[in-house]
Amino acid sequence: MDLAQEEPAGDGEMEELVRVSTANIPNGENHLQRTHFPGMVRKKAYIFDGLGNYYNKEWDLAEGSGQEFCWYHVELPKGKQKLSQSAQYLIDVLCPPLKLQDILSLVSNGPFCGHVDGALVFRVNSPGPPSSNFTFRLAARVTENSVITISLGRVPRLGFSPVGQSLLSEIPSIESPSYHRGERNEGSGIVIREHVLEFLLTMNHSEEADNPVPKSVSNLVVHIIDTHMDHLQDVVTKLEMELDSVELELDRGGFALKKEMLDDRRFPKMHLNLQRLLQVIAHGEQVFPRVKEKCSSKHWFASEDIGSLEELIGRLRRLKENVGFLANRVTAIQAGLDSWQSEQINRKLYYLSFLSIIFLPLSVITGVFGMNVGGVPWTVQKDPALKDGFRNVMGLCLAMLLLVLLCFIFPALYSRLTAWLRRRSLKRTWSHNRRSFLKRTIGLQERGGYLRI
């Protein structure tokens, strides 16, 4: 029965629908049923022998026995699906044997750490659009012989791959025109291109091939939290590099670049992303100490892994301080851009005020001489004695304009004149002191004495 296409029902009808759907599926064939959302989620299943070896296994959600333990990982798509759609994806791949309370504890937003149906469940799911690079969701269900994890999108270095396939273990070589892509010459290393180096510089961790294979469930839990921290650190490193490049562009750029950044609201968006990142880190600060506390009471959780969790918690606090510094930098840059924008507006207003001051007296003069009343001088058109009236009015406007300009220029001229007089007096004083010093020095040299300081 396709539950994704069912119409909303009441509480009693929903309970009856769940009973019917679970009764129609035999217990032995639950893991062999066809999924309702094929290809929507990525699944990985590993089995570890407890001796440092691992193998891929089928997706049966079975627990290990003895020293063996299993790990099942689900990657939810980074799309625009709702939270209920993500829950349907998990129900499709994890039920049975998981129950509805297990699914809800894994997929809900917010921090959580506690026991659900006998298993330790913790999550650091941040609210936000799943398509955003600053929305992180990581949840885990831990038992003595199995671990089930759910993540939003791919988490770097979370999985495992065969040893010897890591790019970091290769000897690099500088790219030259004689090399072709993927070419390896004898006695030299593999050519690493520039865009690959830029990507590797944003990574604060090794690749999957370099991951140490966990020998216990406690090692696996530490590995999962460690990769989550590496993922956060990668995002912070990319933000730092982006912020450095933006500051360099601002130093080199001009009016057009600053105007474009203000129009795109680049720094407010970056500040919002940093706040989302701080929320994810705050969830980790709430959850991971409780995970350490609850795992310390488990007999199957190693004591050295408790110390590793404590180190990861301290690393999370340091990462929070680093993100806070980035937020302060973004705020300072935005404040600088706002100040620059205010200066531009004030400059335009200054020019507008200057023009209004210039044309206001002229408009008054022209308004006075344009009145249709008697007694206005220089307005009698037929009087030959007043034939120069228009010229006189233009001269009066020009004199008024020069007076206004002189009022604006006088402070600058006065400051330049006082600065020139000050430099002249200082130069005269220095030349006088130099002549007196040379005179005294020459007199002492002739007498063979010392100069008193």
Side-chain angles (χ1 to χ4, degrees):
M1 182 178 297
D2 193 354
L3 297 180
Q5 299 177 357
E6 290 291 334
E7 296 293 329
D11 295 339
E13 295 178 0
M14 181 62 69
E15 185 177 356
E16 183 180 357
L17 181 63
V18 172
R19 289 201 195 98
V20 172
S21 61
T22 55
N24 291 335
I25 302 175
N27 292 333
E29 299 178 357
N30 286 341
H31 65 277
L32 299 177
Q33 62 177 345
R34 182 174 298 177
T35 59
H36 299 284
F37 306 100
M40 294 304 298
V41 298
R42 295 182 60 185
K43 300 181 293 185
K44 296 180 181 179
Y46 304 99
I47 184 171
F48 303 88
D49 59 1
L51 301 175
N53 300 314
Y54 77 96
Y55 309 94
N56 296 321
K57 69 184 300 290
E58 63 178 1
W59 188 269
D60 55 2
L61 298 175
E63 295 192 1
S65 59
Q67 292 185 349
E68 294 181 349
F69 58 97
C70 302
W71 179 27
Y72 304 94
H73 179 65
V74 181
E75 291 182 8
L76 295 174
K78 291 182 71 66
K80 296 182 178 180
Q81 71 275 2
K82 298 180 181 179
L83 195 61
S84 58
Q85 188 69 32
S86 301
Q88 287 184 345
Y89 292 158
L90 294 184
I91 291 173
D92 191 30
V93 298
L94 297 178
C95 295
L98 266 62
K99 301 177 182 179
L100 182 58
Q101 59 180 352
D102 297 319
I103 299 298
L104 295 179
S105 62
L106 292 172
V107 78
S108 299
N109 286 330
F112 175 78
C113 179
H115 289 88
V116 178
D117 199 15
L120 176 61
V121 177
F122 65 89
R123 69 169 184 264
V124 282
N125 296 343
S126 61
S131 58
S132 174
N133 293 329
F134 298 89
T135 301
F136 294 84
R137 293 177 184 173
L138 179 67
R141 181 181 185 272
V142 184
T143 60
E144 186 175 356
N145 293 103
S146 70
V147 177
I148 299 175
T149 55
I150 294 94
S151 67
L152 180 63
R154 180 181 178 272
V155 179
R157 202 176 67 89
L158 184 61
F160 297 92
S161 61
V163 180
Q165 297 182 2
S166 174
L167 182 64
L168 301 180
S169 61
E170 300 288 345
I171 299 177
S173 178
I174 300 177
E175 182 179 1
S176 63
S178 62
Y179 288 162
H180 299 284
R181 181 173 295 180
E183 179 183 0
R184 182 198 296 268
N185 290 349
E186 185 177 358
S188 63
I190 187 171
V191 175
I192 308 297
R193 296 189 177 273
E194 184 178 358
H195 68 278
V196 179
L197 285 175
E198 291 179 354
F199 171 74
L200 294 176
L201 287 173
T202 61
M203 296 172 53
N204 293 274
H205 51 77
S206 56
E207 291 185 335
E208 292 182 352
D210 300 316
N211 288 338
V213 179
K215 298 182 180 180
S216 62
V217 173
S218 60
N219 293 153
L220 182 58
V221 172
V222 171
H223 168 73
I224 293 169
I225 299 177
D226 188 19
T227 52
H228 175 69
M229 295 291 302
D230 288 338
H231 195 190
L232 293 177
Q233 185 66 49
D234 288 347
V235 175
V236 173
T237 303
K238 291 179 182 178
L239 279 175
E240 288 179 343
M241 297 177 67
E242 181 182 358
L243 195 57
D244 292 340
S245 63
V246 167
E247 289 180 346
L248 186 60
E249 290 178 2
L250 284 176
D251 292 338
R252 296 179 178 178
F255 178 86
L257 179 62
K258 295 179 180 179
K259 188 70 169 58
E260 181 182 358
M261 289 186 177
L262 285 171
D263 293 340
D264 294 341
R265 300 184 69 253
R266 186 168 184 177
F267 292 104
K269 293 177 182 178
M270 190 179 295
H271 195 272
L272 179 61
N273 292 331
L274 285 171
Q275 295 304 315
R276 290 177 178 172
L277 198 58
L278 283 173
Q279 187 179 28
V280 176
I281 296 175
H283 289 173
E285 284 185 328
Q286 298 177 33
V287 171
F288 295 148
R290 296 182 61 187
V291 172
K292 181 179 75 71
E293 179 183 355
K294 292 183 179 297
C295 289
S296 60
S297 61
K298 306 290 184 182
H299 67 277
W300 42 266
F301 208 92
S303 58
E304 56 269 15
D305 292 327
I306 297 293
S308 300
L309 288 178
E310 185 65 33
E311 293 178 0
L312 290 176
I313 293 171
R315 179 184 171 190
L316 188 65
R317 295 192 181 100
R318 293 190 296 271
L319 184 62
K320 182 179 180 180
E321 295 178 357
N322 194 8
V323 175
F325 294 151
L326 286 179
N328 293 335
R329 287 178 61 185
V330 172
T331 304
I333 295 176
Q334 181 63 37
L337 284 178
D338 292 340
S339 176
W340 174 82
Q341 188 179 27
S342 300
E343 290 177 0
Q344 298 298 319
I345 295 175
N346 293 335
R347 184 175 300 177
K348 293 178 180 179
L349 292 177
Y350 173 79
Y351 293 151
L352 184 61
S353 302
F354 183 76
L355 291 176
S356 63
I357 291 175
I358 289 177
F359 287 102
L360 182 60
L362 303 181
S363 62
V364 171
I365 294 174
T366 55
V368 168
F369 283 96
M371 291 187 298
N372 295 323
V373 294
V376 180
W378 305 333
T379 57
V380 181
Q381 302 292 334
K382 297 181 180 180
D383 190 357
L386 302 176
K387 62 181 180 179
D388 297 332
F390 179 75
R391 188 183 304 171
N392 296 335
V393 171
M394 289 293 101
L396 182 61
C397 292
L398 182 61
M400 183 63 67
L401 180 62
L402 292 177
L403 180 61
V404 171
L405 291 178
L406 182 62
C407 292
F408 274 93
I409 298 174
F410 180 75
L413 292 177
Y414 180 76
S415 61
R416 287 179 177 271
L417 180 62
T418 53
W420 179 77
L421 293 176
R422 192 181 300 109
R423 287 196 303 269
R424 184 178 178 183
S425 62
L426 289 175
K427 187 181 297 184
R428 184 180 302 172
T429 304
W430 181 82
S431 60
H432 176 72
N433 293 336
R434 185 172 181 271
R435 285 196 301 268
S436 61
F437 177 78
L438 291 176
K439 184 177 180 180
R440 284 182 295 167
T441 305
I442 293 173
L444 289 173
Q445 288 179 355
E446 292 176 354
R447 294 193 301 267
Y450 294 95
L451 177 62
R452 184 183 298 274
I453 298 177

